[in-house]
């Protein structure tokens, strides 16, 4: 992407790249905002257009279908039509004539007069006839899938796992904009100090209702604040912060994070140890560990070591039973973070879920060898799928008789989270705390 493109052209490029290259929308969006040096207002519009169009893709295709029927359309033209219809349907402050004019101009620039004419015809027909009603869909499950833009197979799967009521709430929460939250660097500063510093910078921040040392922002970008640059906070979702509570490290301990990048949980644990002891952060990809090294420096932490290794081979690198706690933030389908990465719901399949659950089992089996007798193994994912979460946790206990359920997990978590704990595991759905969907299970190695 280059400078001097219009907001909608940049949004169109991001939408194309997400689908064509399977790139993550949040990373592309951040890069585009910095590269084009957009104002705060333009960055807000770009974010709305990109996330909104991605989040509502299935709904938008339903709206477009009567107007395009079975015509063969180039992918970029389809993205442009979705982008335009999103504005018709969900943004009230942009006049129809401006939406059509901009789309037609992009059509001329990217294609030719014929394509511009087609785009103009489709959009003017929609303007004249109006969008088809979702209320006309008879099947309640299909209606929910189209209304909230989730694949039908995924909605059916969640209904099988959680029932219709919880699935409906989850689907509706997934199309709401996520809050931006940050974790205070507690060994370096206090929540009050950071709170007042951010207020002085003009950010509209509030303290978390659920977690101590967490801050929410309803405007502005915490990642561009002086408090962030000075290492006083880290951007992290509240549900992700719960791993630090579950691990509950003590000063001087030796902790292993088997799948650490980008390092939010690693640095949380290191801060909880007041910069003492050792946290070894592993990852398969060296370039991802560089992010942890950068954050370690920014946060002033000296107790993190980074190691490039496949978590499934960790016991070839570290002595057996040498860690007080090992935590496995396992690779997963990511269905708990659909609000931040909407493309996930369109690209992941049931086959992916089975493969990921298998990888999780392998990593847990390896990690178990490295936990000291009496130590803890904490397993977490950012998904809501029971095949990855509950079934993997139950399978682990069945196949590892030297471990038992850690029934004290609830006592270590914040009060507002306790109702969601069952035995040694926690499953948060996105609607529970308006956070990411997240799973944590804790196991104790027998003495």
């Amino acid at each position: 992407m280059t400078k001097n493109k219009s907001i909608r052209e940049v949004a169109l490029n991001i939408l194309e790249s997400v689908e064509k290259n399977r790139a993550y929308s949040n990373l592309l969006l951040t890069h585009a905002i910095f590269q084009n040096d957009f104002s705060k207002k333009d960055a807000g519009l770009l974010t709305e257009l990109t996330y909104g169009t991605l989040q509502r893709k299935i709904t938008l295709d339903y709206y477009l279908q009567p107007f395009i029927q079975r015509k063969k359309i180039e992918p970029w033209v389809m993205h442009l039509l979705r982008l335009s219809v999103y504005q018709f349907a969900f943004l009230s402050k942009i006049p129809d004539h401006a939406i059509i004019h901009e789309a037609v101009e992009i059509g001329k620039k990217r294609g030719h007069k014929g394509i511009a004419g087609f785009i103009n015809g489709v959009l003017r027909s929609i303007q004249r006839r109006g969008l088809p009603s979702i209320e006309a869909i008879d099947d309640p499950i299909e209606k929910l899938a189209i209304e909230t833009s989730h694949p039908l197979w995924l909605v059916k799967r969640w209904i099988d796992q959680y029932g219709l009521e919880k699935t409906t709430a989850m689907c509706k929460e997934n199309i709401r904009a996520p809050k931006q939250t940050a974790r205070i660097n507690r060994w370096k500063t206090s929540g009050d100090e950071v709170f007042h510093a951010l207020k002085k910078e003009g950010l509209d921040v509030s303290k978390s209702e659920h977690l101590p040392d967490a801050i929410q922002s309803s405007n502005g970008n915490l990642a561009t604040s002086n408090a962030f640059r000075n290492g006083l906070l880290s951007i992290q979702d509240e549900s992700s912060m719960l791993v630090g509570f579950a691990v509950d490290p003590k000063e001087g301990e030796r902790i292993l994070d088997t799948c650490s990048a980008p390092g939010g949980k690693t640095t949380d644990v290191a801060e909880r140890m007041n910069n003492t002891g050792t946290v070894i952060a592993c990852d398969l990809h060296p370039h991802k560990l560089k992010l942890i090294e950068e954050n370690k420096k920014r946060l002033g932490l000296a107790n993190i070591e980074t190691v490039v290794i496949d978590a499934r081979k960790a016991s070839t690198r570290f002595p057996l039973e040498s860690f007080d706690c090992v935590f496995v933030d396992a690779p997963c389908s990511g269905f708990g973070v659909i609000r931040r990465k909407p493309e996930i719901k369109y690209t992941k399949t049931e086959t992916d879920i089975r493969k990921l659950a298998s990888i999780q089992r392998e990593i847990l089996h390896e990690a178990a060898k490295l936990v000291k007798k009496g130590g803890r193994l904490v397993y977490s994912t950012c998904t809501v799928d029971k095949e990855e979460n509950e079934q993997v946790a139950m399978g682990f206990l069945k196949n590892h008789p030297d471990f038992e359920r850690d029934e004290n997990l609830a006592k270590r978590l914040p009060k507002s989270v306790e109702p969601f704990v069952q035995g040694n595991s926690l499953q948060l759905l996105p609607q529970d705390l308006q956070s990411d969907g997240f799973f944590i299970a804790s196991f104790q190695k027998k003495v």
Side-chain angles (χ1 to χ4, degrees):
M1 284 177 279
T2 60
K3 288 186 179 182
N4 304 320
K5 285 183 182 292
S6 72
I7 300 291
R8 287 162 185 81
E9 284 178 283
V10 175
L12 178 60
N13 287 345
I14 294 174
L15 294 170
E16 276 191 287
S17 189
V18 167
E19 187 165 284
K20 192 175 174 183
N21 306 322
R22 288 205 158 198
Y24 283 130
S25 54
N26 58 335
L27 300 180
L28 290 176
L29 197 54
T30 302
H31 180 67
I33 289 169
F34 281 105
Q35 188 185 39
N36 291 279
D37 197 23
F38 284 132
S39 66
K40 186 177 168 184
K41 184 181 173 186
D42 286 346
L45 179 59
L46 176 66
T47 303
E48 171 74 50
L49 292 174
T50 307
Y51 272 137
T53 304
L54 263 176
Q55 282 286 23
R56 302 277 189 170
K57 181 181 162 188
I58 291 175
T59 314
L60 297 172
D61 286 354
Y62 173 80
Y63 286 153
L64 275 163
Q65 190 53 44
F67 301 95
I68 59 175
Q69 297 182 352
R70 294 186 178 179
K71 289 187 180 69
K72 193 174 179 183
I73 299 171
E74 287 188 55
W76 73 267
V77 177
M78 195 64 200
H79 289 306
L80 182 56
L81 289 172
R82 288 182 189 127
L83 187 63
S84 303
V85 173
Y86 176 74
Q87 296 169 76
F88 277 148
F90 298 104
L91 301 184
S92 59
K93 292 183 180 174
I94 303 176
D96 288 358
H97 66 82
I99 297 168
I100 297 172
H101 174 75
E102 179 87 8
V104 170
E105 289 304 308
I106 293 173
K108 287 179 191 170
K109 194 172 173 183
R110 289 281 305 261
H112 49 70
K113 275 190 176 179
I115 288 178
F118 170 73
I119 292 166
N120 186 53
V122 170
L123 296 181
R124 290 206 179 277
S125 294
I126 292 173
Q127 185 188 32
R128 195 168 52 249
R129 289 162 51 190
L131 297 168
S133 171
I134 291 175
E135 295 304 315
I137 302 169
D138 291 330
D139 185 293
I141 298 174
E142 185 185 352
K143 184 179 170 187
L144 176 62
I146 290 175
E147 186 179 22
T148 62
S149 195
H150 286 74
L152 187 57
W153 73 265
L154 188 57
V155 175
K156 287 180 175 175
R157 185 177 175 92
W158 285 349
I159 289 173
D160 286 344
Q161 296 184 354
Y162 292 104
L164 180 60
E165 188 179 345
K166 283 188 177 179
T167 300
T168 300
M170 183 151 58
C171 290
K172 289 185 175 178
E173 187 64 35
N174 279 345
I175 52 174
R176 293 196 177 104
K179 298 174 288 189
Q180 190 181 33
T181 53
R183 185 191 79 239
I184 305 302
N185 186 352
R186 61 180 63 75
W187 86 271
K188 201 171 181 181
T189 184
S190 70
D192 284 343
E193 187 181 337
V194 176
F195 184 75
H196 294 305
L198 291 170
K199 284 273 189 187
K200 275 187 183 176
E201 288 190 53
L203 282 96
D204 187 7
V205 291
S206 56
K207 293 180 182 177
S208 168
E209 296 173 22
H210 308 293
L211 276 76
D213 299 322
I215 278 183
Q216 301 176 351
S217 173
S218 57
N219 80 327
N221 188 346
L222 290 168
T224 61
S225 68
N226 290 326
F228 179 84
R229 274 190 290 274
N230 295 331
L232 304 183
L233 57 84
S234 296
I235 309 300
Q236 191 177 20
D237 187 77
E238 288 169 293
S239 58
S240 173
M241 294 180 208
L242 295 172
V243 171
F245 289 86
V247 172
D248 191 28
K250 303 292 184 293
E251 288 190 13
E253 284 189 336
R254 183 173 159 82
I255 310 286
L256 179 66
D257 179 357
T258 61
C259 313
S260 60
K265 300 171 194 72
T266 312
T267 50
D268 186 9
V269 168
E271 289 166 15
R272 284 172 178 272
M273 293 162 72
N274 291 322
N275 210 6
T276 69
T278 306
V279 183
I280 297 183
C282 301
D283 202 90
L284 189 57
H285 306 288
H287 68 279
K288 290 186 177 179
L289 286 176
K290 281 184 184 173
L291 293 173
I292 299 177
E293 291 289 350
E294 288 168 10
N295 277 320
K296 173 184 158 183
K297 190 175 175 185
R298 183 179 62 82
L299 296 165
L301 293 165
N303 60 343
I304 297 175
E305 295 175 15
T306 54
V307 175
V308 179
I309 192 168
D310 184 334
R312 291 169 291 186
K313 299 175 182 172
S315 71
T316 62
R317 176 69 179 263
F318 306 109
L320 300 181
E321 299 191 335
S322 60
F323 290 93
D324 298 287
C325 179
V326 177
F327 65 101
V328 177
D329 188 47
C332 68
S333 57
F335 288 134
V337 294
I338 284 175
R339 295 178 311 162
R340 299 178 197 282
K341 298 175 184 172
E343 58 277 8
I344 282 175
K345 61 186 172 185
Y346 310 123
T347 54
K348 288 287 190 293
T349 65
E350 288 186 304
T351 303
D352 292 328
I353 293 170
R354 281 192 291 278
K355 286 180 181 172
L356 287 160
S358 174
I359 293 170
Q360 290 162 15
R361 284 191 290 272
E362 288 181 54
I363 295 174
L364 278 176
H365 176 69
E366 192 70 3
K369 301 174 188 174
L370 303 175
V371 182
K372 282 181 183 175
K373 285 186 171 58
R376 270 201 294 275
L377 175 61
V378 174
Y379 159 61
S380 64
T381 72
C382 59
T383 192
V384 297
D385 197 278
K386 293 191 176 187
E387 185 172 345
E388 293 174 78
N389 296 338
E390 286 183 16
Q391 291 180 27
V392 169
M394 286 164 55
F396 174 79
L397 271 181
K398 185 179 175 185
N399 295 315
H400 295 81
D402 52 337
F403 278 83
E404 59 190 359
R405 286 185 176 83
D406 173 10
E407 302 285 355
N408 291 317
L409 175 65
K411 293 177 186 172
R412 302 197 296 276
L413 295 172
K415 284 282 178 196
S416 59
V417 178
E418 281 187 30
F420 305 104
V421 178
Q422 288 192 332
N424 70 322
S425 65
L426 162 76
Q427 176 68 71
L428 276 181
L429 302 180
Q431 67 267 30
D432 291 335
L433 303 181
Q434 285 73 54
S435 65
D436 291 345
F438 214 83
F439 178 82
I440 299 173
S442 183
F443 311 96
Q444 196 90 32
K445 197 164 195 175
K446 295 175 185 173
V447 178

